[in-house]
Amino acid sequence: MGAWGHNTFDNDDACDFVYDMEKVDDLSPVERAFTRIEREAEFPYLASEEMALAACEVLARLKGNPGYHNAYTEDVDAWVAAHPIEPPTPLVERGLAIIERVLHGESDLRARWEEVEDAEPWIAAVKDLQARLTTST
């Protein structure tokens, strides 16, 4: 699966997403990640879902709700600090819809985590992201 932990940035695809964020000064990678997964409505792909969740993390952090910090969040945290952008409400709403789909709809990512003996920490991490994206500071 390319994941080494339960948090959003604990996988290769999310780290690739952060690399793309570092190249721009706007939210275009977030938009692209959301558009990609929305186009895959019937058949979502693991990489798209991991990148979309990373995009949701960027929005939550821009809203002042960073959640956890570790070595894998350093670059995204630096990008957020350098780009104090107010996330547009429609973009946040798209992110929340994607999280809902990952948690309760057709989701390759969730299915793969459910194959693991204990998917609860991953589910808890996604629900935490959902709560942080919903809340305003």
Side-chain angles (χ1 to χ4, degrees):
M1 181 164 38
W4 49 85
H6 297 100
N7 291 317
T8 305
F9 294 110
D10 293 350
N11 63 77
D12 294 329
D13 294 314
C15 291
D16 290 345
F17 175 82
V18 173
Y19 179 74
D20 290 342
M21 285 296 304
E22 292 176 315
K23 297 177 187 176
V24 300
D25 293 320
D26 59 24
L27 296 174
S28 58
V30 173
E31 296 249 359
R32 281 193 303 275
F34 289 175
T35 297
R36 182 175 177 185
I37 195 169
E38 289 162 350
R39 287 184 180 157
E40 297 170 357
E42 190 173 341
F43 301 105
Y45 296 98
L46 178 68
S48 299
E49 291 178 303
E50 288 176 332
M51 288 183 174
L53 291 178
C56 290
E57 273 289 353
V58 169
L59 297 180
R61 290 166 189 273
L62 285 169
K63 290 180 69 168
N65 302 315
Y68 72 99
H69 298 279
N70 64 24
Y72 301 108
T73 69
E74 288 177 2
D75 291 338
V76 77
D77 291 333
W79 188 93
V80 167
H83 301 86
I85 300 168
E86 179 67 31
T89 300
L91 198 56
V92 171
E93 290 171 351
R94 287 172 70 192
L96 288 169
I98 289 167
I99 291 172
E100 186 65 23
R101 174 179 155 188
V102 167
L103 286 173
H104 303 291
E106 293 296 319
S107 170
D108 183 44
L109 181 58
R110 189 189 72 245
R112 288 183 188 220
W113 273 106
E114 288 173 347
E115 291 173 1
V116 177
E117 185 173 317
D118 184 13
E120 286 305 313
W122 176 80
I123 292 168
V126 176
K127 287 181 177 180
D128 175 68
L129 171 57
Q130 184 179 40
R132 290 186 290 110
L133 189 54
T134 302
T135 306
S136 295
T137 57

